[in-house]
Amino acid sequence: MEIIRDNTARAKDQWVCYTAAYSRCIIFISVLLLLLLLMSGPGPGRYALPPTVGYINHDFTKPSSPAYSFHSRMSSAMVSVDSSPGPRYHIDAKVTRFGRMNTPSYSILGRGRRTSDKGDSFQTPGPGAYSPEKAPPLNSHHRPPSYTISTRTRYRLVDAVPAPNSYNLPNVLGCQTPHKPSSASYSFSGRRKVGAPSEDLSKSPGPGKYNSTNPDIYRHRQPSFSMQSRTKRPNYSSVIPGPGTYSPEKFHVHLPKPPSFTLGVRHSEFVTPLVVDVID
């Protein structure tokens, strides 16, 4: 019996706990619904997207295909009601949707007879009565420039009139003239002696310090010739030797010479005898 009483007490306690939790959930849901009802924002059903069917209010972010409409068949009663004529209008072929297309046409009419205020016939002026060169330019006509030539202005002797060579035209070479176009100009400065790349800190001799060897010393030398002045012809007043003065037989240096011998005393009696030291 005690065990049954304990189980009944436990069941009652659990039922009380479940009832309290359920009450809390109902209260929370009621408060949440109340808060949702108090909110003034529209619901999801308040928003409407533009349709994608048809062409009225079509969503411009979506592509649309061409739409066609079908009209119902007209009743036979429209024949008696409609009294408009059929296709019996004559439209000129020269009338287009841009207007009438036709070439310019002209007509020839007789010259009209003009009368003056006094009733006399009007005398038409001839071509020589008009001076078109005196008329100002009209309708944007181009007119060439016109110039007049007058006499030279007379200067007084006391006037300091400059001569033609007193005027100097600006130089168009270089970039000194601001109102004339010029190409790029460059300037060259002098070579720096100190701090320049060409500065010789080691003081080494240049190529001009060395003497070049004559090529004729170590290469085959070509023949060289010299030109002498013209030989002066002897004057006839000088003594010219005749042909007999020369003795060509005595000149035999350039001829072959046979061996020649001489006969004489081999040893002279006046020759001192040769004394040689004899070693004992």
Side-chain angles (χ1 to χ4, degrees), residues 66-206:
Y68 306 95
S69 61
F70 292 90
H71 196 272
S72 60
R73 185 186 297 273
M74 298 180 63
S75 63
S76 59
M78 293 295 295
V79 179
S80 59
V81 175
D82 189 7
S83 60
S84 59
R88 61 182 182 181
Y89 299 100
H90 174 70
I91 300 176
D92 193 359
K94 297 180 180 179
V95 177
T96 62
R97 62 190 182 96
F98 300 104
R100 186 176 181 84
M101 183 181 65
N102 195 2
T103 57
S105 58
Y106 306 95
S107 61
I108 300 177
L109 186 65
R111 186 186 298 273
R113 187 174 182 181
R114 299 179 58 184
T115 56
S116 61
D117 298 336
K118 299 180 179 180
D120 301 333
S121 59
F122 183 77
Q123 298 295 332
T124 304
Y130 302 98
S131 300
E133 67 277 0
K134 298 180 180 180
L138 302 175
N139 300 329
S140 300
H141 290 169
H142 295 283
R143 185 175 182 180
S146 57
Y147 306 94
T148 58
I149 300 176
S150 62
T151 58
R152 184 186 299 274
T153 305
R154 298 183 62 183
Y155 296 101
R156 298 177 300 176
L157 297 178
V158 296
D159 294 337
V161 181
N165 57 356
S166 301
Y167 303 97
N168 295 324
L169 295 176
N171 190 10
V172 296
L173 297 178
C175 58
Q176 303 298 328
T177 307
H179 63 281
K180 296 290 183 181
S182 61
S183 303
S185 57
Y186 307 93
S187 60
F188 293 90
S189 61
R191 188 188 299 273
R192 294 185 300 172
K193 296 182 179 180
V194 179
S198 61
E199 183 182 2
D200 189 8
L201 301 177
S202 61
K203 303 300 181 181
S204 59

Side-chain angles (χ1 to χ4, degrees), residues 225-237:
F225 305 94
S226 61
M227 299 183 67
Q228 193 178 5
S229 61
R230 186 185 297 273
T231 305
K232 187 176 181 181
R233 296 181 61 183
N235 194 359
Y236 288 102
S237 60

